[in-house]
Amino acid sequence: MSFNMTDQDQITNRSESAQGGKAVIEIKDLYKSFGDNHVLNGFNMTLMEGENLVVMGKSGSGKSVMIKCLVGLVKPDSGTVKVLGKEINSLDQQNLDELRSDIGFLFQGSALYDSMTVRENLEFPMRRHKEKLGVVADTEPLVREALENVGLAHTMDLMPVELSGGMKRRVALARTLILKPKVMLYDEPTSGLDPITSKEIIELMRSIQKKYGTSSLIITHDVDCARVISERMILLVDGINYAEGTYSQLSQSTDPKVDAFFKK
Ligand SMILES: Nc1ncnc2c1ncn2[C@@H]1O[C@H](COP(=O)(O)OP(=O)(O)OP(=O)(O)O)[C@@H](O)[C@H]1O
Ligand SMILES: [Mg+2]
């Protein structure tokens, strides 16, 4: 079993040879502090093409900071962050926008714009990323397809206030799908949802991955979500990738810091 792995090269090589694929995200030696708060202290991570990778960490451990570094919303102090072969922090605004159109990001809390209908919420990324979609005379078929993927085509003309929490999360997911992203980043996709709705969201994530062949990074502290969806997991502790392995490997660990994640 593979714990406390400081030798990231070894980890990366192993995943590459195990899957024979290529890396879609590579984080190397990521450091980020806010004043005296040293959040990331040399974090390493590789997401392989087509993979479902779960990153777990305690509240405040830096999961959202890490995922924001991947889309250029947080600037690291040092380290490299490559997404789809491009170093995020060396891109100008135009190239960053272009790259972002290949990345679906389900934010923690998954806010919809309250003053817009569901349809308008989904049209929003289409307007921002016109170059990728080309000229779309009629947006309705794309909006409908995205909503059908999450079973909510009938909500197209509703306002967010008319939807339940789980439905809002599904609409937010549909919104990320509209650009057919190559990589999906999920920040706590099931937080605040009841267990049944959480299961529905997890099922959707799986079906989306199957349908579009996306690679997914899933941040969660939901152990059930991790068990169902992960092919590989990384535990973020003290700002580093403290442990890495499959759910069954990690859940059987005797390392107290690892074991703590799996105790209910
Ligand atoms: N913009 C910011 N300015 C200052 N401190 C920040 C900023 N963003 C995050 N932090 C701090 O960085 C630490 C990590 O925050 P982060 O949001 O990444 O945690 P998390 O692991 O996602 O937690 P949770 O599970 O609660 O979502 C926290 O101590 C937080 O206060
Ligand atoms: Mg967070």
Side-chain angles (χ1 to χ4, degrees):
M1 231 191 302
S2 45
F3 296 123
N4 213 357
M5 292 184 271
T6 45
D7 186 353
Q8 183 62 22
D9 287 335
Q10 197 191 333
I11 299 167
T12 306
N13 289 341
R14 191 166 42 238
S15 349
E16 270 167 3
S17 58
Q19 308 213 3
K22 62 175 187 202
V24 289
I25 295 178
E26 285 178 283
I27 296 181
K28 289 217 170 94
D29 281 330
L30 189 62
Y31 283 79
K32 180 68 190 176
S33 299
F34 298 97
D36 292 338
N37 185 5
H38 303 293
V39 180
L40 299 173
N41 301 308
F43 181 78
N44 289 285
M45 187 193 87
T46 305
L47 173 70
M48 305 304 290
E49 192 166 42
E51 183 180 36
N52 279 333
L53 173 65
V54 164
V55 174
M56 280 194 0
K58 282 195 296 201
S59 186
S61 61
K63 303 180 299 296
S64 293
V65 168
M66 182 273 286
I67 211 169
K68 284 176 186 164
C69 288
L70 289 172
V71 284
L73 289 173
V74 167
K75 223 173 167 45
D77 298 332
S78 65
T80 54
V81 179
K82 268 193 192 170
V83 181
L84 298 167
K86 298 199 173 112
E87 165 59 60
I88 285 282
N89 294 299
S90 66
L91 297 177
D92 61 21
Q93 194 58 44
Q94 189 187 342
N95 283 307
L96 182 60
D97 277 349
E98 213 167 277
L99 181 61
R100 278 180 180 160
S101 73
D102 284 330
I103 307 172
F105 189 177
L106 193 65
F107 284 94
Q108 191 163 11
S110 70
L112 298 175
Y113 301 106
D114 281 337
S115 58
M116 297 181 187
T117 64
V118 166
R119 179 202 303 262
E120 287 162 348
N121 264 281
L122 267 72
E123 283 169 346
F124 199 74
M126 297 167 74
R127 283 207 295 273
R128 266 202 72 194
H129 295 287
K130 279 197 213 95
E131 304 77 18
K132 178 165 180 179
L133 293 168
V135 180
V136 181
D138 183 9
T139 56
E140 176 150 340
L142 286 173
V143 169
R144 183 170 296 282
E145 184 194 342
L147 284 172
E148 273 167 1
N149 279 325
V150 301
L152 286 178
H154 61 286
T155 68
M156 191 138 54
D157 294 309
L158 297 183
M159 299 301 286
V161 69
E162 297 174 88
L163 308 176
S164 70
M167 287 161 97
K168 279 187 198 153
R169 197 70 55 93
R170 281 151 68 189
V171 169
L173 190 49
R175 184 174 57 185
T176 67
L177 292 177
I178 210 131
L179 295 170
K180 307 233 165 36
K182 298 188 178 116
V183 188
M184 280 294 302
L185 309 178
Y186 297 97
D187 194 356
E188 300 281 1
T190 60
S191 69
L193 300 176
D194 64 76
I196 293 170
T197 311
S198 294
K199 273 201 186 118
E200 285 171 11
I201 296 285
I202 293 166
E203 271 318 304
L204 270 178
M205 290 161 64
R206 282 156 65 103
S207 69
I208 285 160
Q209 202 228 8
K210 244 191 181 159
K211 183 166 177 187
Y212 295 110
T214 40
S215 319
S216 303
L217 173 66
I218 303 127
I219 303 249
T220 186
H221 37 212
D222 178 344
V223 177
D224 290 326
C225 174
R227 179 175 47 78
V228 177
I229 206 155
S230 69
E231 283 147 4
R232 199 161 57 88
M233 294 175 64
I234 290 178
L235 302 186
L236 169 50
V237 181
D238 302 332
I240 61 162
N241 44 314
Y242 180 76
E244 186 165 343
T246 62
Y247 179 91
S248 72
Q249 286 172 333
L250 293 179
S251 61
Q252 288 165 35
S253 167
T254 51
D255 181 313
K257 285 188 181 175
V258 175
D259 187 43
F261 281 93
F262 298 91
K263 282 218 174 81
K264 289 231 171 170

